[in-house]
Amino acid sequence: STQSTGWLIGKTPILRRSFKPSLLLYSLLFQMSSTKTKVENVWDFPRPPAIEPTPKRLRVEFNGQVIADTKNGYRILETSHPPTYYIPPKDIKMEFLQPTARTSFCEWKGVATYYSIKVGDKYATDAAWFYKSPVPKYAALKDHVSFYANKVDACYVDDEKVEPQPGDFYGGWMTKDITGGSKGVKGGPGTWGW
């Protein structure tokens, strides 16, 4: 038997059409399953790392201030690491960032320079980093800032508060859609040589 309905499937109205109930149920279940968040395994990320723009909203909070807020960020995807997010300086309250003397070297992106953060009476040393002159493959990251989630009050991807990547060297952001599977992610004890 068929029945007439006024429901919607996606954005397509089903008005004065006849559908078998099983077809309608299948269509609704397909629509629901296609909106689920895709889980990414860090062991599927490439090496050398991939760079890609992200349309997701990225926010960083420190001492009651939103110090960064963008939908124009990039993410770096590297084998065994959760994504590292980079925010353009135009979307950061740069008055809260203070350059430091610290540098580090990434075999893929080049020399990183660090910022400390000061908001009111709260201070976080070497809490963010950027590349003044990244290698050509990562040129889009020039002057974009990445924040350590464990050195600020909160970082968000869309509205999800992230967990910092384990350890105190790497700056990846863990969200519910990132997994390390049975191996876990790099950064914790015993993973340095991965």
Side-chain angles (χ1 to χ4, degrees):
S1 104
T2 60
Q3 48 184 308
S4 182
T5 180
W7 292 353
L8 294 174
I9 294 181
K11 294 184 180 182
T12 306
I14 306 169
L15 300 173
R16 297 190 179 96
R17 288 184 169 175
S18 294
F19 281 94
K20 294 184 178 179
S22 60
L23 179 61
L24 179 61
L25 180 60
Y26 172 79
S27 297
L28 290 171
L29 289 173
F30 176 78
Q31 180 183 1
M32 288 170 43
S33 69
S34 66
T35 60
K36 288 184 179 175
T37 302
K38 178 186 166 200
V39 174
E40 297 176 284
N41 190 314
V42 300
W43 294 97
D44 294 333
F45 293 162
R47 189 167 175 89
I51 178 175
E52 63 181 35
T54 179
K56 293 182 177 184
R57 183 179 180 200
L58 308 175
R59 279 183 299 138
V60 179
E61 296 178 357
F62 188 74
N63 202 23
Q65 288 277 337
V66 174
I67 61 171
D69 192 343
T70 193
K71 286 188 176 181
N72 297 301
Y74 285 94
R75 67 182 199 152
I76 294 292
L77 306 175
E78 181 176 358
T79 305
S80 77
H81 296 267
T84 305
Y85 291 91
Y86 288 81
I87 299 174
K90 70 180 182 64
D91 294 330
I92 300 169
K93 294 180 180 174
M94 296 298 291
E95 65 269 22
F96 297 128
L97 276 57
Q98 302 173 347
T100 73
R102 181 179 176 198
T103 62
S104 63
F105 179 76
C106 170
E107 65 184 307
W108 309 113
K109 297 180 288 296
V111 176
T113 303
Y114 288 74
Y115 287 118
S116 291
I117 304 171
K118 185 175 188 315
V119 176
D121 61 351
K122 190 171 181 181
Y123 189 80
T125 303
D126 297 326
W129 73 95
F130 69 103
Y131 295 91
K132 291 179 187 176
S133 301
V135 299
K137 179 178 178 178
Y138 301 99
L141 295 182
K142 179 177 173 43
D143 297 328
H144 285 50
V145 180
S146 190
F147 293 85
Y148 284 107
N150 63 350
K151 293 191 175 192
V152 297
D153 296 340
C155 296
Y156 295 89
V157 175
D158 285 334
D159 290 322
E160 181 183 354
K161 185 176 179 181
V162 308
E163 292 294 323
Q165 182 172 0
D168 61 359
F169 182 75
Y170 299 107
W173 293 7
M174 290 291 298
T175 54
K176 67 180 180 281
D177 57 344
I178 299 296
T179 182
S182 61
K183 290 183 182 179
V185 300
K186 187 170 183 174
T191 66
W192 189 257
W194 286 2

